[in-house]
Amino acid sequence: MHIEVKHVSKTFGTHKAVSDVSFGIERGKLIGLLGPSGGGKSTLLRILAGLESPDSGDVYINGKRVNDVPPQQRGIGFVFQNYALFKHMNVYDNIAFGLTIRKADKKEITARVEELLDLTGLRGFERRYPHQLSGGQRQRVAFARALAPRPELLLLDEPFAAIDAKVRKELRTWLKQLIATIGITSVFVTHDQDEAVEVADEMLIVQQGRLEQQGPPLAVYTAPQTAFVASFIGHSSVIEKPQLLRGFEHRAELNGGRAIIRPEFVEVGREREIAYPSAAAKGTIRHVFFRGAHLELDVQVGDNRVSAYRSLDQEPLKPGEEVYVLIHRLYHITDQSAVMLENPLKVDPLPVHI
Ligand code: ADP
Ligand code: MG
């Protein structure tokens, strides 16, 4: 393991910001550290950087315990949300800064800055000052500056949070490619699940200072291990009376419990459109929302409300219309876990002879 965090805790006053967190990061991986605001992401990152010291637990880089190693000796590059560029320095000097203070050889500095200008697409901008750049360009300077001293770990704390949505998407793709090219171990903090899913090789989900789950985006999405992860990742409806849903009436464990259903688990439509009508219940369309590429349906089924998607190519459904609702599967939520249950009524219909 390149980076190891073992049983790290940190309390501010009486508030436990990080609570017994342990994880490992393999060399060259891009980790998405994801969780709600106030969950402890920045504190964890600052502990990795040495800007904050843990109350208990240990941090290892390359197998060496670094608890007592000061930040500037840990070989870390840090990029923050608020550009934090030096306003009075041009792009070239900003990128060169980390090398200049280390009193690197002048030729060496020039060569490295030139290389980074190319790598980050900033060639031609080297004489500009931060106020003459767009938000996206400033963040690229911040990357180049962090990378200049060849850190072995790159830490990014919500680097795109202050940038508008379209540019943010472009920067994500750019960043993922850049990091893959350089091959540097990186931790990317975000509260935006789409950003984490798109960028990360592996995700760490934190909430209230605890690590809820670690794994590749697809695994976290398809197999959430905790109730929190099941509700936080993906778009989900919380179902208070899952034992009333068609197909799940005989699951004793659902009595008095809750379930989470994602829109992609639900098929809504006219009878002939549904793959297994006998496994479906009747429901009523309450609202239809236009979501750009598809429609989102809000549907009443008995005492429960579920969301489903509908393609724009299909016949439109209107509020008030009676429809068939097939719940393919759901997550049963308990205090500690999220267990997926399949609808057992989904059996192949009899073949039709024409
Ligand atoms: P995140 O980055 O996930 O939003 P933080 O790590 O910044 O969360 O904060 C976690 C919790 O710790 C928050 O409740 C925050 O108010 C608290 N906290 C963070 N840093 C300090 C500090 N220096 N002093 C007191 N409380 C802090
Ligand atoms: Mg933060």
Side-chain angles (χ1 to χ4, degrees):
M1 282 291 162
H2 190 188
I3 309 295
E4 267 178 292
V5 166
K6 289 188 182 166
H7 302 292
V8 160
S9 294
K10 178 77 185 177
T11 301
F12 295 110
T14 56
H15 183 80
K16 207 151 198 191
V18 176
S19 185
D20 193 21
V21 167
S22 300
F23 60 87
I25 304 176
E26 282 171 50
R27 185 176 297 279
K29 282 267 188 293
L30 171 51
I31 301 299
L33 180 52
L34 174 69
S37 186
K41 304 181 296 296
S42 295
T43 305
L44 257 177
L45 213 62
R46 291 170 59 79
I47 289 172
L48 280 176
L51 298 168
E52 206 79 71
S53 56
D55 299 333
S56 58
D58 300 298
V59 177
Y60 297 83
I61 300 179
N62 284 324
K64 180 178 172 245
R65 186 176 176 275
V66 296
N67 289 43
D68 304 315
V69 176
Q72 60 275 19
Q73 284 167 28
R74 288 194 188 189
I76 280 170
F78 214 122
V79 178
F80 302 93
Q81 170 184 336
N82 50 354
Y83 323 111
L85 296 179
F86 302 114
K87 290 191 180 65
H88 58 285
M89 284 186 198
N90 64 24
V91 168
Y92 185 100
D93 292 333
N94 262 288
I95 299 176
F97 180 77
L99 301 168
T100 313
I101 54 164
R102 281 174 180 76
K103 301 202 176 13
D105 177 69
K106 204 145 189 195
K107 264 204 199 125
E108 194 187 304
I109 295 178
T110 308
R112 182 66 175 152
V113 174
E114 297 281 330
E115 185 188 350
L116 284 164
L117 284 168
D118 285 335
L119 205 56
T120 54
L122 288 165
R123 182 156 299 279
F125 293 91
E126 49 272 51
R127 300 289 152 224
R128 290 216 197 167
Y129 286 83
H131 74 272
Q132 299 170 312
L133 300 172
S134 70
Q137 288 165 340
R138 279 184 231 167
Q139 275 314 60
R140 285 195 270 156
V141 178
F143 283 113
R145 187 180 63 179
L147 292 171
R150 301 182 193 280
E152 62 172 304
L153 176 62
L154 183 63
L155 303 177
L156 311 148
D157 197 351
E158 311 226 16
F160 306 142
I163 291 169
D164 65 79
K166 188 166 177 292
V167 179
R168 194 161 70 218
K169 259 194 119 157
E170 290 164 9
L171 281 170
R172 269 181 218 169
T173 313
W174 173 83
L175 176 78
K176 189 166 172 64
Q177 283 166 356
L178 178 69
I179 288 179
T181 307
I182 304 169
I184 186 172
T185 308
S186 307
V187 183
F188 181 102
V189 166
T190 178
H191 63 266
D192 176 345
Q193 56 161 305
D194 294 336
E195 195 162 84
V197 164
E198 200 175 307
V199 164
D201 297 320
E202 208 171 87
M203 301 206 292
L204 290 170
I205 317 275
V206 294
Q207 188 229 175
Q208 293 181 355
R210 288 188 307 272
L211 176 61
E212 295 269 334
Q213 192 166 346
Q214 175 176 17
L218 189 64
V220 172
Y221 191 89
T222 54
Q225 285 164 4
T226 69
F228 173 78
V229 176
S231 60
F232 187 69
I233 302 288
H235 301 273
S236 23
S237 318
V238 177
I239 305 297
E240 299 293 343
K241 294 177 180 168
Q243 75 280 11
L244 300 182
L245 292 171
R246 172 113 179 107
F248 300 91
E249 304 94 328
H250 305 296
R251 302 301 294 246
E253 68 267 44
L254 291 176
N255 264 320
R258 284 183 309 143
I260 282 172
I261 299 185
R262 298 221 175 111
E264 62 266 34
F265 296 174
V266 183
E267 216 178 304
V268 169
R270 308 216 162 91
E271 185 175 8
R272 62 187 150 73
E273 295 175 327
I274 301 290
Y276 308 97
S278 62
K282 282 197 181 143
T284 310
I285 304 274
R286 289 281 175 229
H287 298 282
V288 179
F289 304 98
F290 178 52
R291 298 283 186 229
H294 60 264
L295 299 169
E296 186 179 331
L297 310 172
D298 175 17
V299 188
Q300 184 84 39
V301 228
D303 284 351
N304 292 302
R305 273 301 246 276
V306 296
S307 286
Y309 295 143
R310 190 166 174 90
S311 158
L312 294 171
D313 298 334
Q314 289 174 286
E315 278 175 56
L317 296 172
K318 289 185 199 66
E321 211 170 321
E322 199 166 274
V323 284
Y324 280 75
V325 181
L326 169 58
I327 311 289
H328 282 265
R329 62 192 67 87
L330 51 74
Y331 291 118
H332 174 220
I333 300 303
T334 67
D335 286 348
Q336 293 305 321
S337 66
V339 179
M340 189 183 277
L341 302 178
E342 290 285 339
N343 185 333
L345 301 178
K346 279 170 37 185
V347 287
D348 284 330
L350 293 171
V352 181
H353 297 285
I354 303 167

